[in-house]
Amino acid sequence: MWLRVSALLLRYLFLYRRSKIRAGEILFWPVMNLILWGFVTAYFKRLVLPEAVVFLLGGLIFWDVLFRSQMAITLSLTEEIWVKNLLNIFLAPIRIVELLLATCLMGVIRAVANVIVLGGVAYLLYAFNLLTIGLALVPFLASLLLFGWALGMCTMALMIRFGQAAEALAWGVPFLVQPVSAVFYPVDVLPGWLQTIAYLLPSTYVFEGMRAVLQTGSIAVSMLLTALALNLVYLALGAAFFGWMLQQARERGYLSRLGMQ
Amino acid sequence: MSVQPIIEVTQLTKRFDAVTAIDHLSFSVMPGEIFGLLGPNGAGKTTAIQLMLGLITPTSGTVCLFGLDIRKHRRAILQRVNFSSAYVALPTNLTAWENLYVFARLYGLRKPRRKITTLLELFEMPHIAHTVTGALSSGQLTRLHLCKAFLNDPEVLFLDEPTASLDPDIAAKVRQTLRQMQRERGITILYTSHNMREIESMCDRVIFLSRGSIVTQGTPQDVMTRAHTASLEDVFIRIARDGRLQDIAEAPEALKEPS
């Protein structure tokens, strides 16, 4: 029995030895969870509870928009790899921008569906009305969608470069930015150096803006504009990174390997 | 006026780090030909096809289809060609109709219903139109892939082992349909297969690759005559074992015809 158990054990260990990404994943989730909920706890210590619940629910719904937007892009690619359809797609006469646009639109559909469902459930179960955010809801959600697209493009680029070993990134990348995006707590809970990083992310301005609207009823237009400007930068970087990785994949034959593995 | 080649490969080379997958490969395919790209596993057939389709960038050399360089006019070329491989699948959770509908639109067909119906009838499977692709048999899947490959009325068709995993009856039907389509529409077909009897019956001309270079080329009959053998399978085995086509006098005893 031990022989077969050890053989299977070795099979899994060989897998981790072959892929640093998979190996890193073992630590990734627990560490990220610890960081995230640690900050939440720190925030709760300072806050009146009813407000915290409202912010948490708003944060959860808004976070889901970013997450679904990124996931829609990466899962489209993952799905094609799983069903071995990737080469059929890349050998059809489509432009890369068309491929990206289609996946981005899929992100919009998924995100809108999620906002409607989650907003409805939050209203029914917790009497939390997402519409109290008012008209600012539209640019807030649009900003998160755009950032999700940028993250999705970067993830897709890494998956094309590193193949199936990088599939875990499809789920993992949004959680890299979650702790520093101030999703469930304000930015000032973070240490100074992390605040600097946080303010480089458009998502931070959205979550801060959402809390400000829920707390004071006023919209910080400057925050929305900063988020939009940062989004444009990240989208350009994401598209350029994807284009570069695709070129690398064509030169090194990764694309065909990925499509047939 | 002389007829121009529809595919022209010139001094094509592809290196992956220290490995030379394709080594100064040059050949041309004329319109309407069924052209066999042959060789043992690892000879470079798939890499050559992927270079021709612009999926891989060459280290040096050029590939022209319809007189256009694939590196500069990839999208325009892909609109006029199609591809089917035994190693590439269609989404299994979509029905046959949905798959064909999606690809028809990818190839620019705005109203593809009639085209899809015609193709499904041509390949004798209108009854599977609304069956989930994952539930189709290997024979039905192969024919569905061919339906997809004919959606845009391609002028050049790349078929990578189209009859692999098919039973002899279905394989014969697929070959018959392909020949019929080629005759009726004048399509050029670039064909790879490990079934040498199939190649003998299908191809007008062949090239045999080994380690990314051409070992021999010509009509199947020419190749067999030059190798002093009665079948392409013997040629294949000799190339697979030696990496070159040695004279029959030097060939291992096992390969010689019994006297």
Side-chain angles (χ1 to χ4, degrees):
Chain A
M1 189 183 77
W2 173 241
L3 190 69
R4 287 189 294 273
V5 170
S6 63
L8 279 172
L9 200 61
L10 273 175
R11 179 248 180 278
Y12 300 130
L13 289 172
F14 285 156
L15 187 67
Y16 286 116
R17 196 174 66 175
R18 293 266 175 277
S19 168
K20 289 182 177 61
I21 291 171
R22 279 186 201 244
E25 199 195 353
I26 298 171
L27 292 174
F28 178 77
W29 298 107
V31 170
M32 283 298 139
N33 269 330
L34 186 72
I35 292 169
L36 178 70
W37 294 108
F39 285 133
V40 172
T41 310
Y43 180 43
F44 276 2
K45 282 180 185 167
R46 299 170 15 193
L47 206 67
V48 184
L49 195 60
E51 259 189 334
V53 172
V54 169
F55 294 165
L56 269 179
L57 287 172
L60 272 171
I61 295 169
F62 271 44
W63 169 251
D64 203 66
V65 171
L66 194 157
F67 184 60
R68 299 295 156 193
S69 166
Q70 185 268 356
M71 284 290 283
I73 293 182
T74 50
L75 278 185
S76 307
L77 182 74
T78 311
E79 173 74 13
E80 302 306 356
I81 296 168
W82 284 342
V83 300
K84 293 188 173 183
N85 187 39
L86 194 69
L87 291 192
N88 279 329
I89 300 287
F90 275 97
L91 290 175
I94 56 168
R95 295 186 186 95
I96 293 305
V97 69
E98 291 166 339
L99 179 71
L100 289 175
L101 191 61
T103 56
C104 288
L105 288 175
M106 197 59 220
V108 175
I109 294 166
R110 287 180 65 150
V112 168
N114 274 284
V115 166
I116 292 169
V117 171
L118 292 181
V121 171
Y123 183 73
L124 289 173
L125 296 183
Y126 311 112
F128 171 75
N129 188 356
L130 194 62
L131 297 176
T132 53
I133 293 171
L135 277 179
L137 191 64
V138 176
F140 278 155
L141 295 183
S143 194
L144 291 171
L145 270 172
L146 294 177
F147 191 45
W149 292 353
L151 289 179
M153 279 188 244
C154 292
T155 317
M156 199 153 58
L158 290 170
M159 285 165 68
I160 282 175
R161 168 63 184 81
F162 294 104
Q164 285 186 329
E167 273 179 18
L169 293 173
W171 287 266
V173 163
F175 291 98
L176 268 174
V177 299
Q178 192 188 41
V180 280
S181 287
V183 179
F184 301 116
Y185 40 77
V187 175
D188 60 24
V189 169
L190 300 171
W193 64 275
L194 264 184
Q195 286 185 33
T196 311
I197 295 172
Y199 282 120
L200 293 173
L201 302 175
S203 45
T204 306
Y205 296 90
V206 174
F207 289 107
E208 287 285 274
M210 173 206 71
R211 275 187 292 271
V213 172
L214 288 173
Q215 208 161 20
T216 65
S218 61
I219 304 161
V221 178
S222 64
M223 280 196 173
L224 280 173
L225 292 175
T226 311
L228 178 67
L230 282 172
N231 270 320
L232 293 177
V233 172
Y234 280 103
L235 277 172
L237 288 175
F241 185 55
F242 180 77
W244 181 55
M245 281 294 171
L246 193 62
Q247 190 190 340
Q248 293 282 308
R250 285 216 165 102
E251 276 170 20
R252 292 164 186 255
Y254 297 139
L255 206 55
S256 52
R257 219 177 300 161
L258 196 61
M260 288 178 143
Q261 65 186 191
Chain B
M1 202 172 79
S2 64
V3 181
Q4 295 298 308
I6 202 159
I7 303 174
E8 191 150 33
V9 174
T10 312
Q11 292 293 309
L12 191 66
T13 299
K14 182 64 194 178
R15 289 192 199 93
F16 296 109
D17 298 321
V19 178
T20 303
I22 296 291
D23 194 2
H24 296 91
L25 183 65
S26 294
F27 67 91
S28 56
V29 182
M30 303 309 286
E33 268 192 311
I34 301 185
F35 188 88
L37 188 60
L38 313 174
N41 292 331
K45 303 184 297 291
T46 303
T47 306
I49 288 182
Q50 291 176 352
L51 283 161
M52 282 186 257
L53 289 167
L55 205 60
I56 302 175
T57 316
T59 307
S60 63
T62 57
V63 174
C64 288
L65 280 96
F66 318 109
L68 302 170
D69 189 329
I70 188 75
R71 293 185 75 169
K72 293 177 188 155
H73 304 277
R74 186 169 182 265
R75 201 166 154 260
I77 289 169
L78 290 181
Q79 185 63 54
R80 296 168 69 182
V81 307
N82 213 314
F83 160 85
S84 176
S85 167
Y87 306 105
V88 176
L90 290 166
T92 49
N93 43 6
L94 269 62
T95 65
W97 178 276
E98 287 166 342
N99 266 315
L100 292 175
Y101 191 79
V102 167
F103 277 98
R105 292 186 73 90
L106 282 177
Y107 279 92
L109 276 73
R110 290 190 187 280
K111 292 179 179 172
R113 286 175 192 278
R114 181 170 293 183
K115 168 72 84 181
I116 294 171
T117 307
T118 309
L119 283 171
L120 285 171
E121 280 168 3
L122 182 75
F123 284 94
E124 299 174 6
M125 7 179 248
H127 58 287
I128 59 101
H130 301 292
T131 305
V132 173
T133 305
L136 299 179
S137 69
S138 329
Q140 289 169 331
L141 272 176
T142 302
R143 283 180 288 166
L144 181 63
H145 289 161
L146 290 171
C147 284
K148 175 248 151 194
F150 280 103
L151 276 169
N152 59 329
D153 293 321
E155 292 163 66
V156 178
L157 197 53
F158 290 83
L159 299 177
D160 189 11
E161 300 192 38
T163 57
S165 82
L166 294 184
D167 71 47
D169 176 45
I170 300 288
K173 280 184 182 165
V174 165
R175 282 194 293 271
Q176 190 186 347
T177 312
L178 285 172
R179 270 196 297 264
Q180 182 193 335
M181 301 283 272
Q182 189 267 339
R183 270 198 308 271
E184 287 173 1
R185 304 178 184 202
I187 300 170
T188 307
I189 300 178
L190 196 136
Y191 205 95
T192 78
S193 175
H194 284 153
N195 181 343
M196 292 300 111
R197 289 184 67 182
E198 178 172 286
I199 293 294
E200 285 172 30
S201 72
M202 287 290 289
C203 294
D204 301 310
R205 275 195 309 138
V206 298
I207 59 173
F208 271 94
L209 295 181
S210 177
R211 297 178 197 130
S213 299
I214 295 175
V215 179
T216 185
Q217 59 183 314
T219 65
Q221 191 55 54
D222 283 347
V223 169
M224 288 186 282
T225 305
R226 275 204 301 275
H228 310 291
T229 179
S231 75
L232 277 186
E233 193 156 324
D234 280 350
V235 178
F236 184 99
I237 292 170
R238 284 159 63 183
I239 290 171
R241 291 186 184 172
D242 300 329
R244 66 194 174 98
L245 195 58
Q246 62 187 147
D247 190 80
I248 194 75
E250 305 170 34
E253 287 303 311
L255 291 176
K256 290 182 184 171
E257 294 288 326
S259 53

